[in-house]
Amino acid sequence: MRAGWRWTVCAVTVAVLVAVPFAVRYAPVSTPDTGPAALLARMQASRSTPYQGYAESSGTLALPTTDQLNDLSTLLSGRTQMRVWWRSATDWRSDTLTPAGEHSTRTTSAGTLVWDYEDNRVGVSAPGAANTVRLPQDTDTLPPALAARMLSEATADELSALPARRVAGRAAEGLELRPSDALSSVGRVDVWADAASGIPVLVEVFGRSADLPAMSSTFLDFSDAAPTAGDLAFTAPPRARVRSVARTDFVGQIARFGGPRPPETLLGFTRSTPGAGLATIGEYGDGVTQLVVSAVSAQLAGSLRDSLRLASGARELPEGLVVSVGPLGLLLTTSRGGTTWLVAGTVTADGLARAATELGAVAA
């Protein structure tokens, strides 16, 4: 064989080998045509199904960076890489990779252990209370958790089928949710579920009139095999500091303020039953249309207002200071009685303005 032909054969061989993964990924996928309503039912039935894998989530929700919202801003505006082993809501482990290292979380019915690589510290906390309002965490962006939140109140008339595709090398069936609520700032949610198990493996959330997802989460490696005890085992590293910690975050700071209680209804939504110690925080809405409302102290309001004014898209309206980041909206508004309210959720600017008007009538 002449040298020229040998190089040609080598080049073709390399090209074929390189193309194989892409061919597998984009090859036509054959799945049963069950319809979007039936697929939604399969996804909902899979919530108790164990799984494991490696997932990445990415967000374009460039929230303003504040002392209170720094972790949330990082989670919703960057890339999060996680390895997860999931048996149930009270029996799982996840490892989140960060630029500085990683942190590992082990949750059981007895509580949660969180190891921070950089500080070599293990925090031990008691189980979280039911109906707890809190800021999103890493594992809330995993495809199964994000899909459960987004599709919780979906109706058949809001659903349509999407073409099947391969996710993490496995066949996946898709559906699209287009919210019918005119107040929702979410334009659509696309979800693909593993054809074998029904577990959501890819989720994309779009704002209104947006071509790119505001938040996406996908498995790059996935198995519906149940994790073993060895997978979930957690042992504190040598010389790690082990400390009991209380669950405190921005929501806890607001709850301790003890301001007036939010109204029982807002924008036509009935307030959800608050958890223990959260009587001053109001949670409203369902599915993709959600609102959280609370009165805030003058000191916290001043700090937030200074930070929010620096955010891209911040606007001073008659109803208050509004920041819209994709489908997420933040509002600081002061009622006639002098109470400052913080409103956050996935409602349109018109919805935020209406909420401000209704909160203006709440007695201090």
Side-chain angles (χ1 to χ4, degrees), residues 23-352:
V24 170
R25 180 177 178 182
Y26 295 107
V29 180
S30 177
T31 60
D33 186 12
T34 57
L39 179 56
L40 175 61
R42 289 193 67 213
M43 291 185 192
Q44 293 171 334
S46 74
R47 292 178 186 173
S48 59
T49 303
Y51 63 88
Q52 55 184 298
Y54 171 79
E56 290 189 356
S57 67
S58 60
T60 59
L61 300 174
L63 289 177
T65 300
T66 72
D67 292 340
Q68 300 85 6
L69 299 175
N70 185 54
D71 289 345
L72 179 62
S73 179
T74 300
L75 179 64
L76 299 183
S77 61
R79 184 175 66 158
T80 302
Q81 301 167 285
M82 286 174 287
R83 170 68 64 177
V84 61
W85 299 267
W86 189 277
R87 275 183 171 174
S88 72
T90 58
D91 190 14
W92 55 270
R93 174 186 167 186
S94 71
D95 293 342
T96 301
L97 305 179
T98 69
E102 69 176 83
H103 64 261
S104 182
T105 303
R106 174 70 173 106
T107 293
T108 69
S109 57
T112 299
L113 301 170
V114 179
W115 172 59
D116 186 279
Y117 168 86
E118 190 173 11
D119 293 337
N120 198 20
R121 180 180 58 189
V122 178
V124 183
S125 59
N131 299 325
T132 297
V133 180
R134 59 171 176 77
L135 295 179
Q137 300 171 350
D138 295 350
T139 50
D140 294 323
T141 66
L142 286 168
L146 187 58
R149 181 79 175 191
M150 293 291 100
L151 301 176
S152 62
E153 301 295 331
T155 58
D157 61 304
E158 296 175 316
L159 302 175
S160 59
L162 290 173
R165 60 185 295 178
R166 291 192 181 277
V167 179
R170 296 165 66 107
E173 303 172 70
L175 64 78
E176 178 183 271
L177 165 68
R178 287 192 176 269
S180 58
D181 192 335
L183 288 175
S184 177
S185 57
V186 175
R188 77 177 198 269
V189 181
D190 296 345
V191 183
W192 281 266
D194 179 53
S197 63
I199 297 173
V201 290
L202 170 59
V203 182
E204 295 178 332
V205 182
F206 296 80
R208 290 185 179 271
S209 304
D211 296 325
L212 298 176
M215 172 64 70
S216 64
S217 180
T218 183
F219 278 106
L220 300 180
D221 177 62
F222 175 82
S223 171
D224 56 353
T228 66
D231 293 330
L232 297 174
F234 177 84
T235 302
R239 295 183 295 279
R241 295 169 295 162
V242 181
R243 299 285 187 274
S244 294
V245 296
R247 290 175 179 266
T248 58
D249 61 13
F250 182 45
V251 175
Q253 296 176 32
I254 291 176
R256 287 194 296 271
F257 168 55
R261 297 190 177 193
E264 290 305 309
T265 60
L266 189 66
L267 297 180
F269 298 114
T270 301
R271 182 186 178 192
S272 301
T273 302
L278 298 174
T280 61
I281 296 178
E283 193 174 15
Y284 307 86
D286 50 48
V288 297
T289 311
Q290 301 272 338
L291 271 178
V292 178
V293 177
S294 180
V296 294
S297 67
Q299 180 180 4
L300 181 55
S303 174
L304 284 172
R305 186 173 286 109
D306 290 342
S307 297
L308 294 178
R309 280 175 176 154
L310 300 176
S312 175
R315 293 173 294 161
E316 291 277 6
L317 302 178
E319 295 81 9
L321 176 62
V322 175
V323 176
S324 295
V325 186
L328 182 63
L330 299 172
L331 165 72
L332 271 178
T333 183
T334 302
S335 67
R336 288 188 295 271
T339 299
T340 299
W341 298 91
L342 174 63
V343 183
T346 50
V347 298
T348 61
D350 178 63
L352 290 175

